[in-house]
C-alpha cells in the first residue's frame, strides 16, 4: 500500500472509534430526551386521562424507578453477555417503550411504557460510558466519554424545544413518540458496531479482540495495549490478592461517592424545576421562566464542549476543581439573593446569572467527569458490576433529590436549601482533592485507585 493510501486508511479507521462512541452516546441522547420531555407532556397527559396529582407524580417518577432497576441489573448482564448486546437490548427497550407510551389509551399502558423507557435509560447509563471507555485510545478517552454527557444535554434541550413546538397542538403522543428515531438509530448502530475489545479479551476470544482493537486504533501498533490488558486479566486470575480486593473496595467507595455527589449538589432541581425556581426568584410570567430555563439548557450544552476538549489535555481533576468551586460560589450568590433586600426584577436577574454559572460549571465538571471516572476506575473483571453500583447510587440520589426538593424549600426556605447545595459542592471539591485519582492519558489497566 502506498504511503498516501495508508494515511487515508488510517484516518478513516480513526473516525471509526469516534463513530462507535457517537452511536453508543445515543443512549445519552435518549436519557436526556426521555427524562426531559415529560415536563411538557404531563400537562396534556393529565388532561387526557383526567388523573389525580398523585398519579401525575407517579407518571413522572416511574421513569426514575425504571432507571434504578435498569442500572442495577445492567452491569451483571454487560459482564456476561457483553457491552454490545446489552446496548442493543437497551435500544430495543427504548423503541418498545416509546411506541407503547405514545400509543397508550389507558394510564396503565402509559405507565408500563414509561417504566420500560426508564429501564432502558438505566441500562444505557451503565453501558454507554462503559463501552465508549473500553473502545477508546487512552489519549482521547476523556473527550469521547464526555460525548455521552454532551448527548444527554442535547437530549434535554431537544425535549424542551419539542415540548415547546408541539404544545400548541397538545400533541403529547408525538412528544413521547419522537424518541423512536434515536432509539432505532441506536439499535441499527449497535447491530453494525463490534463488541468491546476488552470484553472479548476477558472472554478469551483473543483473535476477535485483536481484530477489533486494530480497527479501533487506526492500524497503529496494538501490541503494548494488548499486553497491558492481558497482564491485568492474568493478575486478577491468579487470585484475589489482598491488595486487589482493597483496591476494588476503595474504587467502589470512590465511584459511589462521586455518583451521589453529582446528584446531591442539586443539578436536577434546575433541570426538573427550573421554571419554578425562576418564579420564586421574581420572574413574573410562566413564559419568561420557561425561556430562562431554556437559556440555562443552552449553557449546559455549550459548556460540555469544554470537557470534550480539555479533559484529556489538562486532566479530570483540574476541571472538577474549577467546576465545583464555580458551583459553590454561584449557589452562595443565589442563596443570599433570596434574603437580600433587592428589587424583584434584580433578584430574577441574579437568579438567572447565578444559575447559568452554576449549570455551566456543572457542565464541564461533575456532569461528564463523573460518568467518565466511574467508567475508568474499576478493574476489567468487575468493571460492569462496579459501574452498575455507581449508576444505581446516582439514580437513587437523583430520585431522592427530585422527590424532596419542594418539601425542602417549604421546610428550610429558599436560602437555606441552596446553602445546603453550596456546602455539598464545597465538600465535593475536598473529596476530589483527597480521594479521586487523575486518570488522564492512563491506559485503563494502569489506573490505580487508593
Ligand atoms: C446527570 C443527570 C442530569 C444531567 C444534566 C447528567 O450527568 O447524571 O442527572 O440531569 O447531567 O445535564
Amino acid at each position: 500500500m502506498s504511503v498516501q493510501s495508508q494515511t487515508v486508511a488510517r484516518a478513516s479507521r480513526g473516525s471509526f472509534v469516534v463513530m462507535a462512541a457517537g452511536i453508543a452516546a445515543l443512549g445519552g441522547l435518549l436519557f436526556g430526551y426521555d427524562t426531559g420531555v415529560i415536563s411538557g407532556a404531563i400537562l396534556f397527559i393529565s388532561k387526557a386521562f383526567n388523573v389525580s396529582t398523585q398519579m401525575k407524580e407517579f407518571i413522572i417518577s416511574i421513569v426514575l424507578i425504571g432507571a434504578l432497576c435498569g442500572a442495577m441489573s445492567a452491569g451483571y448482564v454487560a459482564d456476561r453477555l457483553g457491552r454490545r448486546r446489552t446496548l442493543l437490548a437497551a435500544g430495543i427497550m427504548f423503541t418498545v417503550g416509546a411506541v407503547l407510551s405514545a400509543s397508550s389509551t389507558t394510564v396503565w399502558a402509559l405507565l408500563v411504557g414509561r417504566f420500560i423507557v426508564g429501564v432502558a435509560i438505566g441500562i444505557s447509563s451503565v453501558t454507554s460510558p462503559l463501552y465508549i471507555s473500553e473502545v477508546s485510545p487512552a489519549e482521547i478517552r476523556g473527550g469521547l466519554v464526555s460525548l455521552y454527557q454532551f448527548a444527554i444535554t442535547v437530549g434535554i434541550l431537544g425535549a424542551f424545544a419539542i415540548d415547546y413546538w408541539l404544545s400548541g397542538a397538545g400533541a403529547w403522543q408525538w412528544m413521547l413518540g419522537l424518541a423512536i428515531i434515536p432509539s432505532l438509530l441506536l439499535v441499527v448502530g449497535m447491530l453494525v458496531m463490534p463488541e468491546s475489545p476488552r470484553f472479548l479479551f476477558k472472554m478469551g476470544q483473543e483473535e476477535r479482540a485483536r481484530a477489533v482493537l486494530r480497527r479501533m486504533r487506526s492500524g497503529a501498533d496494538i501490541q503494548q495495549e494488548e499486553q497491558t490488558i492481558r497482564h491485568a486479566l492474568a493478575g486478577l486470575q491468579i487470585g484475589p490478592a489482598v491488595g486487589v480486593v482493597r483496591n476494588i473496595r476503595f474504587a467502589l467507595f470512590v465511584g459511589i461517592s462521586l455518583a451521589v455527589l453529582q446528584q446531591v449538589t442539586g443539578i436536577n432541581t434546575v433541570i426538573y424545576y427550573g421554571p419554578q425556581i425562576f418564579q420564586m426568584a421574581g420572574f413574573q410570567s410562566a413564559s419568561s421562566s420557561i425561556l430562562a430555563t431554556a437559556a440555562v439548557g443552552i449553557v449546559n450544552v455549550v459548556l460540555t464542549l469544554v470537557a470534550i476538549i480539555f479533559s484529556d489535555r489538562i486532566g479530570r481533576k483540574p476541571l472538577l476543581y474549577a467546576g465545583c468551586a464555580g458551583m459553590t460560589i454561584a449557589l452562595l450568590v443565589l442563596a443570599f439573593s433570596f434574603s437580600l433586600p433587592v428589587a424583584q426584577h434584580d433578584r430574577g436577574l441574579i437568579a438567572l446569572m447565578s444559575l447559568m454559572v452554576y449549570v455551566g460549571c456543572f457542565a464541564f465538571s461533575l456532569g461528564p467527569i463523573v460518568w467518565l471516572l466511574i467508567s475508568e476506575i474499576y478493574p476489567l473483571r468487575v468493571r460492569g458490576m462496579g459501574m452498575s453500583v455507581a449508576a444505581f447510587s446516582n439514580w437513587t440520589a437523583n430520585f431522592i433529590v427530585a422527590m424532596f426538593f419542594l418539601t425542602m424549600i417549604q421546610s428550610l426556605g429558599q436560602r437555606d436549601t441552596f446553602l445546603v447545595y453550596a456546602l455539598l459542592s464545597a465538600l465535593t471539591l475536598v473529596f476530589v482533592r483527597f480521594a479521586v485519582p487523575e486518570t488522564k492519558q492512563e491506559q485503563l489497566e494502569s489506573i490505580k485507585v487508593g
Side-chain angles (χ1 to χ4, degrees), residues 277-285 337-338 340-352 414:
I277 299 179
F278 284 119
Q279 283 196 332
M280 287 189 278
F283 274 65
Q284 302 287 333
S285 70
S337 78
F338 283 108
L340 287 178
V342 288
Q344 208 175 34
H345 171 266
D346 294 340
R347 182 170 303 148
L349 214 62
I350 297 173
L352 179 61
Q414 291 139 350

Side-chain angles (χ1 to χ4, degrees), residues 82-166:
R83 293 38 170 147
R84 178 179 161 269
R85 283 197 199 140
T86 312
L87 264 178
L88 195 57
I92 294 170
M93 292 180 83
F94 271 124
T95 316
V96 172
V99 172
L100 262 181
S101 36
S103 61
S104 52
T105 49
T106 66
V107 82
W108 293 106
L110 178 67
L111 285 172
V112 173
R114 292 292 289 167
F115 178 76
I116 295 175
V117 166
V119 175
I121 295 177
I123 295 177
S124 70
S125 72
V126 172
T127 326
S128 296
L130 183 63
Y131 178 81
I132 302 176
S133 178
E134 288 190 345
V135 297
S136 302
E139 316 82 63
I140 54 168
R141 193 178 56 239
L144 291 184
V145 180
S146 299
L147 273 183
Y148 172 72
Q149 173 72 15
F150 184 70
I152 296 179
T153 60
V154 171
I156 294 173
L157 193 64
F160 229 83
I162 283 170
D163 277 358
Y164 186 70
W165 174 46
L166 294 174

Side-chain angles (χ1 to χ4, degrees), residues 31 149 152-153 156 262-263 267-268 271 300 362 367 371 394 398:
F31 168 165
Q149 173 72 15
I152 296 179
T153 60
I156 294 173
Q262 189 207 48
Q263 293 297 320
I267 186 63
N268 285 317
I271 304 291
N300 196 13
F362 174 89
W371 291 112
N394 183 270
N398 185 337

Side-chain angles (χ1 to χ4, degrees), residues 301-344:
V301 174
V302 174
L303 269 287
T304 309
L305 292 172
V306 174
I308 296 181
I309 298 168
F310 291 109
S311 57
D312 295 308
R313 297 184 193 181
I314 62 172
R316 291 42 163 163
K317 289 181 74 166
L319 286 179
L320 286 174
Y321 292 145
C324 293
M327 285 166 66
T328 309
I329 294 168
L331 285 168
L332 286 174
V333 171
L334 178 67
F336 286 112
S337 78
F338 283 108
S339 58
L340 287 178
V342 288
Q344 208 175 34

